[in-house]
Amino acid sequence: MPRPLCATIHLDSMQHNLARARACAPEAKVWAVVKANAYGHGLERGMKGFALADGLALIETENALRLRELGWIKPILLLEGIFDASDVPLLAEHNINSTVHCVEQIKLLEYTQLYRPIDVHLKMNTGMNRLGFKPDEYKAAYKRLRAIPGIRNITLMTHFANADELEHPRLSVAEQVERFVGGAQGLEGERSLSNSGGVLHQAVLQAELQNDWVRPGIMLYGGTPGGRTAQEFGLRPTMTLTSEIIAIQNLVAGDTVGYGSRFEATGPMQVGVVACGYADGYPRHAPHGTPVIVDGVRTSVVGRVSMDMMTVDLTPIRNARVGSQVTLWGDGLPIDEVATMSGTIGYELMCALAPRVRVTEGRLGTHG
């Protein structure tokens, strides 16, 4: 028998969340973001779950090619663009869109003859200060791209730094949009501005966010970039991580649990050992009190999470036993809640799922 730890991927929830993204931005086409192995869900599952998307967006050139091998015939976008001259012919051969965010990438396109026209996304840096041309450099970059014979369509693109907090005191979405509009004034091409935060706030920012394409990521996987909860936005979890109790310890006052003996029982209690640890992708720094569900009852982590195991308080659970079912996140326990308690974000937990964790597919509420 395999170890009882299992991540169940809910394709129906992925489809539901994609529909929510469309409902938020009904006039825009959707790039479903499947970078980082579809946020830990698996590239093939991402392709199936987001089959109705208008295109798939990711970082890894090799995975763009893999999507073509798997039969994806709709558009693909490389969100960081190309990394080497050898990548350029692949864009034409496999009909892949490339983001262009620096002069070096423009040079690669200028110096390589394209036997078939390609589409690109020209990125503007409106304050995120990672990738892209500053607004006052943008038109010159556009002009250079437009002069390349093999460039067909140029989509105008930016990325929001604080779409989860619209009125961020340092850099609001409205300020970024204003910079974008100024830098792109007079340029032809479709617009792509919104990540998950922008999509989820599309109704509030209807006047500002004139998107032809949106690029939802975390919302498609049942998480949010911050602010309100996934449930409030009508999103459903797409990954449920479950395990079982594999041992039970009966403690008395003064007994301690785990490495460092940081948790001390104040009286008689039962502690369950769960087959899951940080080598599986569960956050090592999850503190005492981080929620888990055992046999349908909410309880919490006690003691330090170790490599292969963690310990939970069984005191609230009647008839707990070896084999009791444990939900670590997902159905009934939002991943964002576990992440927040652990000082991180849901993105990291999804992406950190270890290769040794067994993965299955199942509809929400029917694990494994």
Side-chain angles (χ1 to χ4, degrees):
M1 289 292 292
R3 189 162 171 252
L5 182 64
C6 179
T8 302
I9 306 302
H10 311 298
L11 297 183
D12 57 327
S13 291
M14 298 170 80
Q15 295 160 359
H16 169 87
N17 295 339
L18 175 61
R20 286 291 303 130
R22 286 200 185 280
C24 290
E27 297 181 1
K29 291 170 285 188
V30 177
W31 291 112
V33 179
V34 293
K35 62 182 179 178
N37 197 30
Y39 286 54
H41 291 63
L43 191 64
E44 293 185 48
R45 296 184 193 92
M47 193 179 86
K48 289 193 291 184
F50 306 132
L52 296 181
D54 300 289
L56 298 178
L58 70 174
I59 300 296
E60 310 87 358
T61 307
E62 64 275 18
N63 283 342
L65 300 181
R66 177 65 179 148
L67 286 172
R68 291 293 186 226
E69 291 172 358
L70 292 170
W72 182 262
I73 61 174
K74 289 189 278 188
I76 296 173
L77 170 64
L78 292 173
L79 291 166
E80 288 182 359
I82 53 176
F83 302 101
D84 187 81
S86 63
D87 295 331
V88 179
L90 301 177
L91 301 178
E93 182 179 353
H94 299 281
N95 191 26
I96 297 171
N97 288 232
S98 180
T99 296
V100 176
H101 61 76
C102 62
V103 170
E104 289 76 11
Q105 289 178 330
I106 294 179
K107 290 178 180 178
L108 291 176
L109 295 170
E110 288 174 331
Y111 297 156
T112 305
Q113 186 171 359
L114 293 165
Y115 74 92
R116 180 187 298 166
I118 65 169
D119 297 334
V120 297
H121 280 51
L122 181 60
K123 192 162 194 176
M124 187 189 300
N125 174 11
T126 55
M128 185 71 163
N129 286 318
R130 294 191 312 190
L131 304 178
F133 295 89
K134 294 289 182 68
D136 60 355
E137 305 167 337
Y138 197 70
K139 289 182 181 178
Y142 182 95
K143 185 177 180 181
R144 284 184 67 172
L145 283 175
R146 193 73 286 166
I148 299 173
I151 300 298
R152 185 171 49 198
N153 298 311
I154 303 175
T155 296
L156 315 181
M157 175 187 188
T158 194
H159 189 78
F160 295 135
N162 303 305
D164 56 320
E165 187 178 346
L166 300 182
E167 301 301 327
H168 193 280
R170 296 294 299 274
L171 182 63
S172 68
V173 168
E175 173 63 23
Q176 286 196 257
V177 171
E178 184 177 344
R179 294 176 186 180
F180 177 82
V181 171
Q185 186 175 10
L187 301 181
E188 293 184 0
E190 295 184 317
R191 266 62 170 167
S192 177
L193 285 78
S194 291
N195 51 7
S196 285
V199 172
L200 291 169
H201 291 102
Q202 181 78 28
V204 178
L205 296 168
Q206 195 68 43
E208 292 95 334
L209 295 183
Q210 299 299 318
N211 280 295
D212 297 291
W213 286 88
V214 293
R215 308 183 307 276
I218 191 64
M219 69 171 292
L220 298 181
Y221 303 94
T224 68
R228 293 158 57 190
T229 67
Q231 186 174 14
E232 289 177 291
F233 283 116
L235 304 173
R236 292 168 45 179
T238 58
M239 176 193 291
T240 297
L241 185 64
T242 57
S243 189
E244 294 179 5
I245 300 295
I246 60 172
I248 294 176
Q249 298 294 332
N250 293 292
L251 308 185
V252 298
D255 283 346
T256 59
V257 177
Y259 288 120
S261 300
R262 291 192 173 185
F263 177 80
E264 181 177 332
T266 58
M269 67 179 298
Q270 274 195 331
V271 169
V273 181
V274 182
C276 181
Y278 60 77
D280 301 299
Y282 195 86
R284 178 177 179 271
H285 298 294
H288 171 66
T290 300
V292 299
I293 295 174
V294 179
D295 284 346
V297 179
R298 188 180 177 101
T299 184
S300 62
V301 171
V302 296
R304 275 185 177 173
V305 175
S306 55
M307 181 178 286
D308 310 305
M309 291 170 279
M310 55 191 292
T311 43
V312 299
D313 183 5
L314 295 183
T315 306
I317 291 86
R318 297 183 59 185
N319 302 318
R321 69 196 191 287
V322 171
S324 286
Q325 296 296 299
V326 180
T327 298
L328 298 161
W329 66 61
D331 188 9
L333 180 56
I335 194 170
D336 290 334
E337 186 176 349
V338 177
T340 299
M341 284 290 294
S342 304
T344 184
I345 53 177
Y347 304 68
E348 183 177 17
L349 300 190
M350 294 177 190
C351 294
L353 190 72
R356 74 176 185 175
V357 177
R358 184 165 49 100
V359 181
T360 64
E361 295 177 14
R363 298 183 65 83
L364 188 63
T366 57
H367 310 310

